[in-house]
Amino acid sequence: MLARLLAGRTWAQDQIYDQPLDPITETLRAANAKPRPVIAIYTGEAKGKPVGLETQGGCQIVRTNIYVYLPPSKIELPDSVTFEIDNVGAGLALNTIGRQIDAAMHYGVPAWVKVWRRFVLKIDDKVSRFVLVEIQGGVKIPCMEIVYELDCVADADFGRPLYGAWLEMDALLRADGAGSEGEVLADHIKGLVEDPAGLHDYELFQTNFGLTDAAFEATGLAPLSGSVDEGDGSVPDLEDVDAPQQGEIVPPQQVP
C-alpha cells in the first residue's frame, strides 16, 4: 500500500519495491539506461495484541523500513536537476527524497491517501539515518534509512467477506485492469481473508473466536458427533424427516 502511495511522487519515480533488494543492481537498472534513485519498502517488525486465542483481534504496531538508494555515479533527475554523488550532493538528494516520501502521505493520490489513513491510525515514531553501503569491489552507494513505527488497525478476520478499508483497497488494486499485477495481488489478499486454507464455516467460527473443541460443542454450533466426513471435513446437509406420530393426544379434561 505504501509503495502505491509513493509511486510517481518522488525522484525515484516508479522504481519502488516492496521488498529488500540488491541496491547496486536496482539503481543501475532503468529503461532509459540512466541510473536513478531506488526506494525499497518492507516490514521490519509487526507486533499485535491477540484477544484471547484470536490472533487477529487487536491493533498492530508495524515497523516499516524504507531505504532510499542513490546510484554510485552522477545522477540525472527530473526537471534537469543533476547531482554529483559526493558527501554534499548525496545528502541533499537523500533529504529531498525523504521529504517527498513524507509529502506523499499527505498529498499523494487522494484515493490511496484515504485508504492509508484507514489502515494507519497514528505514526508513533520516525527515525532517519544516513548509511554508506559498500558493495564488494569498493563501490559505495549513498543510502538513507527511514523507519516509521505505525499504529495500525487489526488484521482482517478469517473467513469474513472483505469489508471497510480492505474492500476499498481491493477496488483500487483491481482498477489496474484485468490480468494486472494489482488484480493478482487483490485476488491473493481476498483469498487469504475470505478462504483461509479452505476452512469450513463451522471451523472458521471456532477459529475466529478461539474456542476449544469442548467449548465449541457447548455452543450447539458444532457438527453432531459422527456427522463430519473424515475425508474432506464437510458436514452433510440436514434432511427433513417425517416421523410417525407416537401416542395419543388426550383432551385436558380427560387427564387423570
Side-chain angles (χ1 to χ4, degrees):
M1 179 169 53
L2 185 54
R4 289 302 186 103
L5 193 63
L6 299 182
R9 306 297 303 185
T10 72
W11 279 344
Q13 295 297 310
D14 60 346
Q15 294 206 128
I16 300 174
Y17 302 90
D18 55 353
Q19 59 187 338
L21 48 80
D22 176 359
I24 192 168
T25 299
E26 298 303 333
T27 53
L28 296 177
R29 179 188 299 171
N32 58 6
K34 293 182 179 179
R36 291 193 312 204
V38 169
I39 295 176
I41 305 170
Y42 62 93
T43 298
E45 182 181 73
K47 182 178 180 181
K49 184 67 175 176
V51 177
L53 295 176
E54 185 180 351
T55 58
Q56 316 305 112
C59 293
Q60 304 179 78
I61 302 298
V62 178
R63 182 167 295 174
T64 299
N65 298 62
I66 300 179
Y67 289 89
V68 182
Y69 298 106
L70 297 184
S73 63
K74 183 173 69 175
I75 57 174
E76 297 180 14
L77 301 169
D79 303 323
S80 300
V81 178
T82 300
F83 280 107
E84 293 285 345
I85 303 303
D86 54 29
N87 290 339
V88 176
L92 180 56
L94 290 171
N95 270 319
T96 300
I97 296 174
R99 185 165 178 83
Q100 291 172 338
I101 291 172
D102 278 347
M105 298 179 185
H106 300 275
Y107 306 108
V109 177
W112 279 107
V113 171
K114 179 184 176 182
V115 172
W116 167 259
R117 292 181 176 178
R118 293 285 302 276
F119 278 99
V120 179
L121 305 176
K122 184 175 62 171
I123 299 177
D124 292 323
D125 197 17
K126 173 190 172 183
V127 177
S128 301
R129 67 189 184 103
F130 295 98
V131 182
L132 191 60
V133 179
E134 186 169 358
I135 307 298
Q136 186 175 5
V139 178
K140 295 180 175 62
I141 297 181
C143 169
M144 179 168 65
E145 179 190 39
I146 308 173
V147 180
Y148 293 97
E149 194 166 286
L150 308 175
D151 191 341
C152 300
V153 298
D155 206 352
D157 289 335
F158 292 119
R160 180 177 175 183
L162 293 178
Y163 56 92
W166 296 95
L167 194 59
E168 292 179 27
M169 184 173 66
D170 181 82
L172 288 176
L173 291 171
R174 295 185 188 282
D176 291 350
S180 65
E181 181 182 346
E183 184 185 55
V184 173
L185 180 58
D187 287 341
H188 180 67
I189 294 173
K190 184 180 177 69
L192 290 175
V193 175
E194 296 187 355
D195 187 28
L199 295 177
H200 297 281
D201 290 343
Y202 68 90
E203 293 172 316
L204 290 171
F205 181 90
Q206 182 179 6
T207 300
N208 282 333
F209 285 90
L211 299 175
T212 64
D213 289 343
F216 187 45
E217 290 177 3
T219 66
L221 300 174
L224 296 175
S225 178
S227 66
V228 177
D229 187 295
E230 294 183 359
D232 61 7
S234 63
V235 179
D237 294 333
L238 295 176
E239 297 181 2
D240 292 331
V241 177
D242 292 327
Q245 180 175 321
Q246 301 291 329
E248 179 181 357
I249 298 177
V250 181
Q253 62 273 22
Q254 297 183 19
V255 176

